[in-house]
């Protein structure tokens, strides 16, 4: 009953509704019935790239023209983000949202005030890179997967580029696609050269799975890798 032939993202909200993002945004209402959302509902783009439900239950949608938040009448775009394609949304412990954006930058958004901060060239995120995924760990460190390596921003605001050489080969490729943080605080990294793990103590391990795009470790010990 899903009225699209492909989906790039999915989220089940706290009310049990399933949201699917693709060429449009779709919500399962039950009984095989779906409702679609687009420009007429306040989304500035019909292509949804990221979904996030924050701690208050607010749904955010990343599109090719910024992010928008859901409300009773549809969606409201956040003006300071509309020049960006948003591929990933993460929420910090202070309620601020971090966005992976194109052109090449990370945005930090205060949903309350609408203030937007941009991290680009000053953080080393220079032209020629693409940002695919963001993850925040329990200490508030931001991890950024790019096509030119893995970036880390510590809570003090300092940025570091992690490379194959600087990690002693723990990072298998500079073309980093996917990031997942498990319940133990271990960072799982999918890259063109394989799957790497980094523990909170900075111990690295890896498995050479060429072309890894996403990685999902389950509590059972099973690890799924999309290539």
């Amino acid at each position: 009953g899903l009225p699209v032939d492909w989906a790039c993202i999915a989220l089940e909200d706290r009310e049990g509704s399933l949201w699917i993002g693709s060429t449009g945004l779709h919500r399962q209402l039950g009984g095989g019935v779906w409702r679609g959302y687009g420009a007429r509902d306040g989304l500035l783009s019909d292509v949804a790239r990221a979904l996030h439900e924050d701690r208050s239950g607010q749904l955010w949608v990343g599109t090719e023209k910024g992010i928008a938040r859901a409300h009773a009448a549809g969606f409201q775009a956040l003006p300071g983000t509309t020049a960006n394609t948003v591929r990933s949304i993460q929420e910090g412990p202070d309620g601020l949202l971090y966005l992976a954006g194109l052109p090449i930058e990370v945005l930090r958004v205060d949903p309350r005030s609408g203030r937007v901060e941009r991290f680009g060239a000053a953080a080393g995120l220079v032209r020629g890179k693409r940002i695919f995924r963001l993850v925040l760990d329990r200490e508030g460190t931001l991890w950024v997967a790019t096509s030119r390596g893995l970036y880390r921003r510590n809570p003090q605001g300092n940025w570091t580029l992690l490379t194959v050489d600087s990690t002693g080969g723990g990072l298998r490729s500079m073309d980093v696609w996917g990031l997942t943080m498990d319940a133990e605080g271990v960072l799982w990294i999918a890259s063109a050269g394989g799957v790497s793990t980094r523990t909170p103590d900075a111990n690295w391990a890896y498995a050479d799975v060429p072309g890894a795009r996403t990685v999902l470790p389950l509590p059972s010990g099973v690890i799924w890798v999309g290539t």
Side-chain angles (χ1 to χ4, degrees), residues 82-191:
T82 55
N84 296 82
T85 295
V86 176
R87 288 181 166 176
S88 184
I89 305 171
Q90 286 285 297
E91 183 180 3
D94 50 8
L96 300 182
L97 300 179
Y98 291 81
L99 317 178
L102 291 175
I104 312 305
E105 57 187 0
V106 172
L107 284 69
R108 182 167 63 186
V109 177
D110 186 337
R112 299 170 293 266
S113 66
R115 180 186 179 192
V116 179
E117 297 177 78
R118 300 175 182 274
F119 306 106
L125 301 170
V126 295
R127 199 172 174 83
K129 295 180 174 67
R130 290 175 292 167
I131 300 176
F132 299 111
R133 189 73 178 167
L134 304 177
V135 164
L136 274 163
D137 66 22
R138 60 184 68 172
E139 271 73 49
T141 297
L142 179 69
W143 300 88
V144 184
T146 82
S147 59
R148 298 289 181 86
L150 177 66
Y151 281 80
R152 177 180 63 203
R153 181 184 186 274
N154 67 18
Q156 291 73 43
N158 300 313
W159 289 83
T160 304
L161 171 62
L162 281 72
T163 67
V164 175
D165 290 340
S166 71
T167 62
L171 183 65
R172 304 308 289 163
S173 169
M174 293 291 283
D175 194 1
V176 184
W177 282 82
L179 297 175
T180 304
M181 186 71 63
D182 69 19
E184 303 300 321
V186 175
L187 181 66
W188 294 75
I189 305 154
S191 72

